[in-house]
Amino acid sequence: AQKVTQAQTEISVVEKEDVTLDCVYETRDTTYYLFWYKQPPSGELVFLIRRNSFDEQNEISGRYSWNFQKSTSSFNFTITASQVVDSAVYFCAPTTGTASKLTFGTGTRLQVTL
Amino acid sequence: GAGVSQTPSNKVTEKGKYVELRCDPISGHTALYWYRQSLGQGPEFLIYFQGTGAADDSGLPNDRFFAVRPEGSVSTLKIQRTERGDSAVYLCASSPGTNREAFFGQGTRLTVV
């Protein structure tokens, strides 16, 4: 069985602060993919990043960066210099198996204020 | 259109009625998924199509739920004898392939009264 834990229910930051969203994914599978999605108030889920279990190299894309550590089952996501438009619910979601179905965490609500 | 389209955007129905929710995926995407999202929760998987066939329907809650994708493109999620507990946002997503990013529609908000 697999388990996705997003321990942070809600985070509030002031614009321009950096913020890290935590995700812990526990599984016995050796091959899997990890995704982060954003759900703004409009409701539509937006794909952010994708990572496979073989590659632990951390990456940066614009204001987004992510830190994947297989040994601790953590897949954390950082937004640098946050903006009000970043306010949304962020979901961590792994996929496994041939169906590639996403298993979503409970989400972290990020509120960025001026 | 360029994205995943779902209709209707909102549906209010009476308990016991039958409803159909439609999903028009991104052209060329062979994989299609249905998810259900209750208030304050993450989406939960319902069913996955690869082409015309339902490759994984393990998330359907019971036999009142059924989905089809007869020509490998548009899909319809069908709910019989609706119950108040079926009220949720039903999300459709399509993907170009295995373990690729999924693109979601705006969802259909179903309210059973």
Side-chain angles (χ1 to χ4, degrees):
Chain A
Q2 51 185 351
K3 183 180 178 183
V4 182
T5 303
Q6 293 184 257
Q8 304 153 305
T9 304
E10 195 161 340
I11 301 175
S12 291
V13 298
V14 177
E15 198 175 43
K16 298 183 184 176
E17 287 185 10
D18 298 346
V19 57
T20 296
L21 308 178
D22 299 332
C23 175
V24 174
Y25 174 50
E26 299 170 61
T27 180
R28 293 180 179 176
D29 296 324
T30 56
T31 303
Y32 51 88
Y33 286 78
L34 292 160
F35 294 77
W36 277 93
Y37 281 84
K38 168 184 177 180
Q39 190 171 41
S42 61
E44 185 170 347
L45 280 156
V46 178
F47 165 75
L48 296 175
I49 57 174
R50 164 180 173 261
R51 205 90 188 117
N52 69 55
S53 56
F54 291 103
D55 188 355
E56 293 191 63
Q57 183 177 358
N58 299 322
E59 289 192 17
I60 298 173
S61 176
R63 295 189 299 112
Y64 298 155
S65 63
W66 46 98
N67 183 336
F68 173 49
Q69 293 186 348
K70 200 169 183 177
S71 60
T72 57
S73 303
S74 68
F75 183 46
N76 298 333
F77 176 67
T78 298
I79 303 173
T80 303
S82 59
Q83 301 174 1
V84 172
V85 293
D86 295 328
S87 297
V89 179
Y90 288 79
F91 291 100
C92 171
T95 68
T96 56
T98 56
S100 301
K101 55 190 178 186
L102 294 159
T103 300
F104 286 86
T106 51
T108 296
R109 180 176 299 278
L110 174 64
Q111 185 72 38
V112 182
T113 57
L114 293 172
Chain B
V4 177
S5 176
Q6 291 188 247
T7 54
S9 55
N10 279 284
K11 176 71 176 178
V12 179
T13 190
E14 292 181 348
K15 179 175 177 294
K17 298 289 188 182
Y18 167 83
V19 297
E20 289 189 353
L21 312 180
R22 177 188 167 105
C23 172
D24 202 337
I26 293 173
S27 178
H29 281 191
T30 56
L32 185 145
Y33 303 82
W34 284 97
Y35 291 83
R36 179 168 72 172
Q37 186 174 24
S38 300
L39 191 63
Q41 302 295 318
E44 294 179 315
F45 169 78
L46 295 177
I47 187 169
Y48 157 65
F49 288 90
Q50 181 60 248
T52 60
D56 185 341
D57 64 357
S58 61
L60 295 178
N62 52 59
D63 60 7
R64 294 186 298 106
F65 289 74
F66 188 70
V68 296
R69 193 186 186 198
E71 297 179 356
S73 178
V74 171
S75 176
T76 305
L77 178 65
K78 308 179 181 191
I79 310 174
Q80 298 178 323
R81 305 183 303 280
T82 51
E83 300 177 356
R84 292 195 178 88
D86 298 335
S87 297
V89 176
Y90 289 81
L91 296 165
C92 177
S94 70
S95 174
T98 303
N99 287 313
R100 296 285 304 277
E101 58 271 27
F103 296 87
F104 284 79
Q106 292 273 18
T108 293
R109 181 176 298 279
L110 175 66
T111 303
V112 182
V113 298

